[in-house]
Amino acid sequence: MGFGKLKPVSAVPVELAPQGALACADDLLETGLMLDLLPVPAVTVALEGGRFQFSALNRPFRMAGLGTVASESPLIRLLGTQLRHFLESDEARHEIAWQFGEEVDCRYFRVLFARHDGHRRTPRCLVTLVDQTSELRTEHSLRREMATDSLTGLPNRAGFSDELETLITADNGEGFAVLVVNLDRFSRVNACMGGLAGDELLISVARRLKGALRSRDILSRMGGDEFGVLLLLDDGPGDALHVAKRIQAALATPFRLSSFEIRVDCSIGIALGADNKGEPEDLIRHAQFAVKRAKTSGRTEVYHTRAFDIAREQFSIETELRRAIENGQMTLAYQPICDLGSGKVTSFEALARWTNENGVAISPDEFIPVAEESGLIIPLGRWAMEEAARTLAAWDAAAGGDCGVKVAVNLSAIQLQRDRIPEMVQAALEQYGVSGTRLTLELTESAIVSDPDRISRTMMALKDLGATLAMDDFGTGYSNLAYLQKLPIDLLKIDRSFISGMLADRDKIAIVRAILSLAQALGMQTTAEGIETNELAQTLAALGCTYGQGYLYARALPPAEAYSLLVANRT
């Protein structure tokens, strides 16, 4: 039997002797005089009449329990076939690894066969054994320690990966699954009760998880508050989902820490062996990806290739978008907003546009969410503010003074939370010599309700700059009327979902009428998005809506075309 990677055996004295000396040493070897000089077990073995004979052996060989008679020696019993092949071959030497004894007191040897036939016709060889038991036991102990989590005694990530690799090799990646279990509120325990309480909780969780699994399932601690489970599937993917339910049930009972009872919720992601096309780490990563989805959905998630592909596409978009922002490849397009009573263009909404290096136009619906998730929305928002101010200054210069319109710029909820908006806006206005009264800043309802006090201070600072503040997509989110009353909002933008098809839907008309009445009561102006027909524009004007925006007037245009539209509108 083999037993891992071993160092080459050091050359024994016989190997170092000249060829002539070897021939002369046959008699010495046979009488055992030379063997007694060797510190390792050694024996000369001859093959006479098809049977093995010991010509000579040394004291370490006898002390190793390897016998004195060939027919009774475990060396011949266990290695006889290999010895026979060697003696019947033309090889001068041959090395093998040999494991001898029971599992508890097993010994490991590196065995060397060295031919020394000399002038004799009877095949014979010198067999030496180098005991490597201590070295290998130390190596096995270190490997076991490196693959074990010191807190729980479970396999760690490296140990779990080794178990998974073994199973993939034996099972061809079909009849098993990997579960990753992530504790949802563990960080709060550490923060509130300290690291010792956190360690105690992890040990208790490990015990509960072990109790919820079958004896053949493998539980590991992947790191932090994350555990991995390797399952053998008897009845397909349903087994994995059943075990996930047992795990959740096991953790449902609160844990007692000191005088507190703490309930630990978990998110579980599953990756099936049948979906594995690569290394063990790929399967673990797939299960971790499913855990992230489980945290969002609130239920156990099974990894699906399509979802992972979408995530990869988003990472690709993120990389390209970062490069586009850094290299100045983004552009702004401007969609006119008109007074519904007079048809006069009063402002333009600046909308980000991106055509990648391959000439493909990427929709804002694709890159804006990626920008918000990755944090790129901050440099993107700063660029948009500066570009809008620069464009407005260029229009004023072309008109020989104030061109008579405002520019509306969208502020992301992420940007409002992380960026210093008033300072950023003021810097852009000052850089291009534009008054704050020429600027409309559009915020979503979600941005306002995320941190009302902070957003209120930001909005007050923006009002001090003279900017107009608009609530974008009104009616699609969580609308708290108290915020509308307290915050300095000047304008409500009615979402296109209420405007489109409004004339044929009494419910939509009722909703729009209610929004317009609310805005009038609060002293706010209104803009209806998604206007595509004159009839719709006239109806909204009759209902009291102030401004309109949509394809009836124009799509979003490049800066030069937008200015030409403005000039044509004024003449």
Side-chain angles (χ1 to χ4, degrees):
M1 295 178 61
F3 50 89
K5 297 180 180 179
L6 299 174
K7 296 179 180 178
V9 178
S10 301
V12 295
V14 172
E15 297 178 84
L16 300 177
Q19 185 67 34
L22 280 176
C24 298
D26 276 343
D27 293 334
L28 293 175
L29 286 171
E30 188 170 338
T31 60
L33 295 177
M34 191 170 183
L35 293 186
D36 285 334
L37 300 177
L38 298 178
V40 298
V43 62
T44 57
V45 181
L47 186 61
E48 298 179 2
R51 300 181 64 181
F52 289 106
Q53 300 290 336
F54 285 170
S55 302
L57 52 88
N58 65 3
R59 186 171 182 274
F61 187 88
R62 292 191 296 271
M63 297 296 293
L66 297 174
T68 58
V69 179
S71 60
E72 300 174 357
S73 173
L75 177 73
I76 301 302
R77 185 174 71 252
L78 298 175
L79 298 181
T81 301
Q82 297 182 64
L83 259 173
R84 187 180 299 275
H85 287 164
F86 173 73
L87 289 172
E88 292 175 351
S89 71
D90 295 329
E91 288 185 85
R93 56 176 290 161
H94 182 68
E95 290 186 15
I96 60 171
W98 183 39
Q99 181 176 324
F100 169 54
E102 299 297 331
E103 189 66 31
V104 176
D105 58 352
C106 184
R107 300 178 67 185
Y108 302 95
F109 294 95
R110 172 64 71 184
V111 183
L112 171 66
F113 303 154
R115 188 182 303 277
H116 67 94
D117 293 341
H119 59 278
R120 302 178 185 275
R121 294 182 179 180
T122 302
R124 68 184 58 209
C125 69
L126 172 66
V127 179
T128 56
L129 299 92
V130 178
D131 193 338
Q132 296 185 316
T133 303
S134 178
E135 177 185 343
L136 283 173
R137 284 179 178 172
T138 301
E139 181 181 341
H140 292 164
S141 178
L142 289 174
R143 284 181 179 175
R144 184 167 55 252
E145 187 173 331
M146 291 176 62
T148 302
D149 175 54
S150 59
L151 178 64
T152 62
L154 298 172
N156 58 18
R157 174 139 187 175
F160 187 72
S161 183
D162 289 342
E163 295 280 2
L164 181 55
E165 184 173 11
T166 301
L167 189 58
I168 289 175
T169 302
D171 196 70
N172 296 320
E174 296 294 334
F176 67 93
V178 171
L179 275 69
V180 170
V181 182
N182 190 275
L183 308 184
D184 291 342
R185 298 196 301 157
F186 177 73
S187 59
R188 292 182 59 187
V189 175
N190 262 352
C192 298
M193 303 182 66
L196 290 178
D199 289 348
E200 183 182 346
L201 178 60
L202 286 172
I203 293 171
S204 299
V205 167
R207 288 172 181 163
R208 293 246 190 119
L209 292 176
K210 194 72 175 176
L213 300 177
R214 302 164 299 184
S215 59
R216 58 181 177 168
D217 298 331
I218 298 173
L219 175 66
S220 72
R221 183 184 174 211
M222 307 285 284
D225 59 354
E226 192 169 77
F227 292 84
V229 183
L230 179 54
L231 301 175
L232 292 176
L233 304 179
D234 296 326
D235 300 318
D239 274 1
L241 293 171
H242 183 64
V243 171
K245 289 181 180 179
R246 288 212 308 267
I247 289 174
Q248 290 171 329
L251 298 182
T253 304
F255 293 84
R256 179 171 290 278
L257 294 179
S258 300
S259 59
F260 298 95
E261 285 192 350
I262 299 173
R263 174 163 179 167
V264 177
D265 294 322
C266 68
S267 300
I268 300 178
I270 301 173
L272 301 174
D275 294 331
N276 180 66
K277 301 300 182 184
E279 299 297 321
E281 283 297 320
D282 294 335
L283 199 60
I284 295 172
R285 191 171 67 254
H286 293 168
Q288 290 175 325
F289 176 76
V291 164
K292 291 184 178 180
R293 294 181 59 203
K295 286 182 174 293
T296 302
S297 68
R299 62 176 182 270
T300 299
E301 292 285 350
V302 180
Y303 166 81
H304 294 291
T305 304
R306 178 55 187 157
F308 189 68
D309 290 343
I310 291 173
R312 290 174 64 90
E313 289 173 9
Q314 289 178 334
F315 279 121
S316 176
I317 290 175
E318 177 184 336
T319 301
E320 292 187 41
L321 180 59
R322 179 178 285 106
R323 190 160 55 241
I325 295 173
E326 292 173 351
N327 297 337
Q329 296 172 343
M330 305 296 296
T331 59
L332 284 182
Y334 299 85
Q335 186 172 34
I337 299 174
C338 299
D339 186 301
L340 288 177
S342 64
K344 179 181 177 181
V345 175
T346 59
S347 61
F348 287 88
E349 181 179 2
L351 301 168
R353 295 290 183 264
W354 175 32
T355 300
N356 66 16
E357 296 174 349
N358 297 323
V360 178
I362 310 297
S363 169
D365 292 338
E366 293 184 44
F367 71 79
I368 293 298
V370 172
E372 290 184 326
E373 182 179 353
S374 64
L376 289 175
I377 196 66
I378 295 176
L380 180 60
R382 285 177 167 263
W383 164 83
M385 186 64 65
E386 292 180 4
E387 181 65 15
R390 187 190 68 80
T391 299
L392 191 55
W395 288 349
D396 286 346
D402 188 335
C403 66
V405 293
K406 296 181 178 182
V407 171
V409 179
N410 292 278
L411 294 178
S412 162
I414 303 298
Q415 188 180 9
L416 282 166
Q417 292 170 6
R418 302 180 186 177
D419 203 359
R420 302 178 65 178
I421 298 297
E423 291 84 348
M424 181 267 292
V425 172
Q426 184 175 9
L429 294 174
E430 291 177 351
Q431 180 178 358
Y432 294 102
V434 176
S435 170
T437 57
R438 307 284 303 286
L439 193 63
T440 297
L441 299 173
E442 298 186 1
L443 301 80
T444 60
E445 294 177 62
S446 60
I448 293 174
V449 301
S450 62
D451 189 352
D453 293 335
R454 186 175 185 276
I455 300 302
S456 177
R457 292 192 296 270
T458 299
M459 294 175 74
M460 292 297 183
L462 293 172
K463 288 297 294 181
D464 290 342
L465 294 176
T468 299
L469 300 181
M471 180 181 283
D472 196 12
D473 301 333
F474 183 77
T476 60
Y478 175 76
S479 302
N480 189 318
L481 298 184
Y483 295 152
L484 292 181
Q485 186 178 12
K486 293 178 181 179
L487 297 177
I489 299 171
D490 302 299
L491 186 146
L492 296 181
K493 296 193 73 173
I494 308 173
D495 188 70
R496 69 182 68 249
S497 61
F498 300 120
I499 303 300
S500 178
M502 184 186 81
L503 298 180
D505 191 331
R506 292 184 179 181
D507 291 339
K508 288 186 177 182
I509 293 177
I511 292 173
V512 171
R513 192 188 301 273
I515 294 174
L516 294 173
S517 298
L518 175 63
Q520 184 178 9
L522 295 174
M524 300 177 184
Q525 295 180 319
T526 51
T527 298
E529 299 179 302
I531 299 178
E532 298 184 3
T533 66
N534 278 315
E535 184 181 6
L536 187 54
Q538 291 169 4
T539 301
L540 287 166
L543 290 174
C545 187
T546 318
Y547 304 110
Q549 178 180 357
Y551 290 165
L552 173 64
Y553 307 107
R555 295 176 179 269
L557 303 170
E561 294 182 25
Y563 181 72
S564 298
L565 175 68
L566 174 62
V567 172
N569 179 261
R570 292 299 161 83
T571 57

